[in-house]
Amino acid sequence: MASEALSSYPELGARLQFVQAGISEACKRASRDAGDVTLIVVTKFHPASLVAALSELGVRDVGENRHQEAQAKAEELAQLNLNWHFIGQLQTKKARQAARYAHAIHSIDRERLVDALADNETGRVIDAFVQINLTDDPGRGGVAPDGIETLAEKVLQTPSLRLRGVMSVAPLEEPAAAAFERLAGYSDRVRALEPSASAISAGMTHDYVEAIAAGATHLRIGSAITGNRPEHR
């Protein structure tokens, strides 16, 4: 019998299975092991009850990109032992608060943010992904390519952070495959500094197949699994 949480989302399991099958097929075509790819289900604007239902379906990695929402869900669902991935732009003044619940932060894009995360009162080591801007627009999130090594070295010098690799969002104005190919090259530069920092956080609902082909290890997929986001204010 389905739990109350699952019964509130009757199509959730089928959507999750559909995406998981798509990931497996994409990995097969890329001659990769699907077990090497982590699916992060992005639950932005969805209630904690949906996250609870995902947990019952076996999901352990959940992504959020708004600190206040992430903090509230993590506190409410603390007993589920989920891995919370912060994937949005993180304000420096909110960094210490985010460190209390985030197991991974995918949006490390400036040295001031690293400094703010250095004083982690929880004692946990947080997985850190250097976010890279794949466009020429400095207003987009991420460090410019010429600043990758400096920022990565800053993370490596911070005991409360563990450099896992790189993260980016493919620009809409170019083919995702080309953007992710560049990201793979930037990943090589980070691995030259720290060989274990081989993770690549890339790929969303519309481009995860291309991300897998380019070596992505962490996918951030939302609406294909959760359904349309509810209206928010």
Side-chain angles (χ1 to χ4, degrees):
M1 179 180 293
S3 70
E4 182 177 349
L6 271 177
S7 62
S8 299
Y9 304 97
E11 298 178 358
L12 188 62
R15 289 195 296 262
L16 176 62
Q17 289 180 353
F18 181 80
V19 170
Q20 289 172 329
I23 292 171
S24 294
E25 178 60 28
C27 286
K28 183 179 179 180
R29 292 203 297 269
S31 299
R32 296 185 58 197
D33 185 347
D36 294 334
V37 176
T38 298
L39 169 61
I40 301 167
V41 182
V42 181
T43 57
K44 177 181 178 180
F45 297 136
H46 288 281
S49 58
L50 182 137
V51 182
L54 285 168
S55 176
E56 292 193 37
L57 292 168
V59 171
R60 285 292 167 265
D61 294 276
V62 179
E64 292 286 340
N65 62 357
R66 300 168 76 242
H67 162 65
Q68 188 172 354
E69 182 178 355
Q71 179 176 248
K73 288 179 185 176
E75 289 177 357
E76 182 175 346
L77 303 173
Q79 77 282 0
L80 297 182
N81 295 317
L82 298 169
N83 297 319
W84 293 92
H85 297 254
F86 192 86
I87 62 176
Q89 297 307 115
L90 181 59
Q91 296 179 30
T92 303
K93 64 182 180 181
K94 300 293 185 182
R96 290 184 66 186
Q97 296 176 44
R100 294 172 187 163
Y101 61 82
H103 295 83
I105 296 177
H106 292 239
S107 49
I108 304 295
D109 60 356
R110 59 198 185 280
E111 292 189 46
R112 285 183 58 231
L113 180 57
V114 176
D115 288 335
L117 291 166
D119 185 18
N120 178 2
E121 60 193 34
T122 70
R124 287 189 298 104
V125 176
I126 298 170
D127 286 344
F129 292 75
V130 171
Q131 183 178 358
I132 300 171
N133 186 349
L134 296 179
T135 77
D136 294 326
D137 180 0
R140 298 280 186 94
V143 65
D146 61 4
I148 291 173
E149 282 83 1
T150 299
L151 185 56
E153 287 173 348
K154 180 78 170 179
V155 175
L156 287 170
Q157 295 165 4
T158 305
S160 61
L161 298 176
R162 175 172 48 241
L163 181 62
R164 288 297 312 278
V166 298
M167 175 273 216
S168 197
V169 177
L172 295 176
E173 55 269 22
E174 73 170 301
F180 291 143
E181 184 176 355
R182 290 205 311 284
L183 182 61
Y186 298 145
S187 173
D188 290 342
R189 287 166 52 181
V190 171
R191 286 193 293 113
L193 297 174
E194 174 50 66
S196 67
S198 58
I200 299 176
S201 173
M204 299 186 290
T205 292
H206 61 286
D207 59 15
Y208 73 82
V209 172
E210 292 88 344
I212 288 172
T217 60
H218 291 67
L219 310 176
R220 311 180 305 272
I221 299 180
S223 59
I225 297 171
T226 62
N228 293 331
R229 293 170 179 165
E231 294 185 6
H232 61 281
R233 296 181 180 178

